[in-house]
Amino acid sequence: MKRTTTIWPAKAQEAIPINKHKVPLWAVILIFVVALGGGAAGGYALSYQQAQQSVLKTGVPKALAPVVSAYETVTNNYYKKVNTTKLTDGAIKGMLGTLDDPYSVYLQNNDKTDLDDTISASFGGIGATIQQNHDSLSIASILPGTPAKKAGMQVGDVLLKVDGKDVAKKTVTQAVDKIRGKIGTTVAVTVKRGNKQATFSMKRKKITVDTVTGKLAPENKQVGVITISTFSEPTVKQFKATVKKLRKEGAKSFVLDLRQNPGGMMTAALSISSMFSKNGQTVMQIEDRNGAKEVYKAGKKLDGGFKITEKTAVLIDGNSASASEITAAALHQNRNIPLVGEKSFGKGTVQNVGEMGSNKELKLTVAKWLTPNGTWINHKGLTPDVKVDYPAAAKITLINATQLKPGDKGSDVKSLQQMLTALKIGTVNVNSQYDDATQAAVKSFQQANKLDATGTADQETLAALAQKLSDQLTKDDPMVKAAVQEVTK
């Protein structure tokens, strides 16, 4: 089995690297976090150019005189020539650092690009997913109508070079960074197919990620389960299309899954909240630093006249934040829609994003947001009406090692033993030691899955175990089952 860099529920175009940090296994395998983490996106009050003009007209504020003095002192007297761009960037970062606000940040280059891609749920690419094999990278899938498809690339092609530079031994992340780029620019990808090599020259195209997916619940085909991974520019359109599709398939009620959704665009959250609310109902309030409030009410302006009146339940967990909480709170308070799962994250602030010149952005917290009834949930979160915990197997931490063998010890071995136990493979004691029982269980799993039965958990075996556990957790999801029960009472 090959280790495929895909994300659930939505697929990653080009590739998304597997997180190697110690995070819960289910969060990496089951649900990919797009990780915007901010509130509103866009419309920052003062652009970089405007700020420059303002300074020219009014002079430097008195409070900034020491900063200007320090800048001049450093640039004129430091014993080596200084990079003035780095000095100014550092000054901006320093100012934001004093706010003690993790959501107010100065974004440059790749960080800016990542945020822009998250907001738009799109990027410049060729429309293929990449997978990591033992000693190579290959094409795992190709989206229809994309540059990769039109150029003639095929699933299974082994990736050799990008723009003439060798990537055969690179990581997925490194290869993807080279393949992605500005929309409209050209990239040349060299692959090996059988005994032959071929180079495909392609013009990068806008590739849009699915932020919304939907399916009928396995236990009840009249319940549509809709998952929103992040609130981005295409989310509202994708959400409407998903609802319509599920209605045609027979859905009479819905489960809205906002677990692991870190938030995103406030406008998308308002639109979806309005769909579930009666016209005129408050869906959210914004409160500025002076206490002045702006109230957003449900209506055609927000939802385009598209309404959802079916019985619904909302799934939340500790990583449902920001725009996810806006939506969950509006549905709960306006329609008495039950919240199922775990307490949400508790992010009650709004950020605006403003351009600060080429490849630079300022993301700044500008206001609080309040639920329809005026509650500020910051650091408190939303409490579920029906509390359901994740099963123990969903909390197994990701294995960092690429191989585990007899005699090994430590947390990675413990995770391996927990996975084997959850899948009921062999008789293993979770003791963090790769003992004979662990080796026998691994060998049994390898035999059952047509892998090399060595008893050593190599990369292929670990990937196969993770996928099996992912499938089991998806099939036996207690939170979804509880939500389905709520909408079928």
Side-chain angles (χ1 to χ4, degrees):
M1 178 178 287
K2 297 173 181 176
R3 187 170 187 171
T4 307
T5 56
T6 56
I7 53 176
W8 184 92
K11 284 190 175 179
Q13 281 67 48
E14 309 305 338
I16 295 294
I18 291 179
N19 194 338
K20 302 300 288 185
H21 295 293
K22 280 288 183 182
V23 297
L25 172 67
W26 64 270
V28 175
I29 300 300
L30 287 180
I31 304 172
F32 174 79
V33 180
V34 183
L36 177 58
Y44 185 58
L46 195 62
S47 72
Y48 179 70
Q49 292 79 9
Q50 289 172 322
Q52 286 183 315
Q53 293 169 3
S54 177
V55 169
L56 289 173
K57 289 178 181 178
T58 64
V60 177
K62 186 177 181 180
L64 283 180
V67 178
V68 174
S69 177
Y71 175 87
E72 291 178 344
T73 300
V74 172
T75 55
N76 292 330
N77 299 288
Y78 189 63
Y79 82 105
K80 290 194 295 186
K81 187 176 181 180
V82 296
N83 185 317
T84 55
T85 299
K86 286 185 177 180
L87 281 181
T88 54
D89 287 343
I92 295 171
K93 291 177 181 178
M95 279 190 282
L96 293 173
T98 65
L99 300 177
D100 195 24
D101 177 8
Y103 308 114
S104 293
V105 291
Y106 184 47
L107 303 171
Q108 299 171 263
N109 301 318
N110 288 341
D111 289 336
K112 175 189 180 298
T113 300
D114 289 344
L115 177 61
D116 292 346
D117 289 350
T118 302
I119 291 173
S120 65
S122 63
F123 51 84
I126 63 173
T129 60
I130 297 173
Q131 63 188 9
Q132 180 104 45
N133 306 321
H134 278 302
D135 56 359
S136 64
L137 301 174
S138 65
I139 304 301
S141 65
I142 299 174
L143 297 173
T146 57
K149 185 70 173 178
K150 293 177 180 178
M153 293 186 71
Q154 295 181 9
V155 172
D157 285 347
V158 177
L159 191 59
L160 299 179
K161 298 178 181 180
V162 177
D163 286 334
K165 296 182 179 179
D166 182 44
V167 295
K169 301 298 181 183
K170 300 290 186 181
T171 65
V172 169
T173 306
Q174 291 169 332
V176 169
D177 286 343
K178 293 182 179 299
I179 293 174
R180 288 188 183 182
K182 188 176 180 180
I183 295 170
T185 57
T186 300
V187 61
V189 179
T190 302
V191 302
K192 182 179 179 182
R193 185 181 302 165
N195 295 321
K196 297 182 179 181
Q197 290 187 18
T199 298
F200 300 94
S201 183
M202 295 161 282
K203 189 170 288 187
R204 294 181 178 98
K205 181 182 176 182
K206 181 179 179 180
I207 306 296
T208 301
V209 178
D210 289 334
T211 63
V212 183
T213 58
K215 63 180 181 180
L216 297 177
E219 57 268 49
N220 190 321
K221 298 298 183 181
Q222 291 190 326
V223 180
V225 180
I226 303 174
T227 302
I228 303 179
S229 60
T230 185
F231 289 84
S232 303
E233 287 176 357
T235 299
V236 174
K237 182 178 179 180
Q238 292 174 355
F239 185 76
K240 287 182 180 180
T242 301
V243 171
K244 291 177 181 179
K245 178 180 76 74
L246 291 174
R247 281 172 172 168
K248 288 182 179 179
E249 292 175 359
K252 304 298 182 185
S253 57
F254 295 106
V255 170
L256 182 57
D257 190 349
L258 299 179
R259 293 174 298 173
Q260 292 297 301
N261 183 322
M265 294 183 66
M266 186 182 79
T267 51
L270 291 174
S271 293
I272 292 173
S273 299
S274 181
M275 293 177 193
F276 288 90
S277 304
K278 293 180 180 179
N279 288 345
Q281 283 187 309
T282 297
V283 292
M284 190 193 71
Q285 303 179 55
I286 293 290
E287 182 179 314
D288 68 18
R289 60 198 272 175
N290 299 315
K293 294 180 181 178
E294 182 176 1
V295 179
Y296 294 86
K297 294 184 179 292
K300 192 172 183 179
K301 185 177 179 180
L302 288 179
D303 57 41
F306 185 82
K307 293 293 185 180
I308 301 169
T309 58
E310 290 92 339
K311 199 169 184 180
T312 302
V314 178
L315 289 172
I316 57 173
D317 66 7
N319 288 308
S320 302
S322 193
S324 296
E325 293 172 300
I326 289 173
T327 304
L331 271 58
H332 181 58
Q333 294 181 9
N334 288 346
R335 283 267 307 275
N336 200 30
I337 286 174
L339 305 181
V340 180
E342 300 177 340
K343 181 181 286 190
S344 65
F345 182 81
K347 180 182 178 296
T349 56
V350 176
Q351 283 71 42
N352 274 355
V353 179
E355 294 285 343
M356 293 287 287
S358 177
N359 294 320
K360 298 176 183 180
E361 285 178 340
L362 178 65
K363 182 157 75 80
L364 184 70
T365 300
V366 295
K368 300 177 180 179
W369 70 263
L370 311 176
T371 67
N373 66 12
T375 301
W376 192 36
I377 66 161
N378 205 48
H379 301 309
K380 299 175 183 176
L382 298 168
T383 301
D385 303 285
V386 182
K387 190 178 185 303
V388 183
D389 294 326
Y390 282 109
K395 300 175 183 178
I396 300 173
T397 53
L398 182 68
I399 295 174
N400 281 327
T402 56
Q403 177 178 285
L404 294 171
K405 61 185 183 302
D408 286 346
K409 299 178 181 180
S411 58
D412 281 344
V413 176
K414 180 180 179 180
S415 293
L416 171 63
Q417 292 170 332
Q418 290 173 328
M419 292 168 70
L420 292 166
T421 301
L423 292 168
K424 298 180 180 179
I425 301 169
T427 304
V428 178
N429 292 320
V430 181
N431 56 14
S432 303
Q433 299 182 28
Y434 204 120
D435 51 24
D436 291 342
T438 303
Q439 183 180 12
V442 169
K443 191 171 184 178
S444 175
F445 175 80
Q446 290 170 330
Q447 290 171 336
N449 290 274
K450 299 180 180 180
L451 301 168
D452 292 339
T454 61
T456 293
D458 57 13
Q459 187 171 340
E460 232 177 339
T461 300
L462 293 173
L465 277 166
Q467 187 61 57
K468 289 286 184 182
L469 185 58
S470 169
D471 293 343
Q472 177 175 294
L473 291 170
T474 302
K475 181 180 178 181
D476 301 322
D477 191 330
M479 293 186 184
V480 172
K481 289 182 177 179
V484 170
Q485 288 179 356
E486 285 296 308
V487 298
T488 54
K489 285 181 178 179

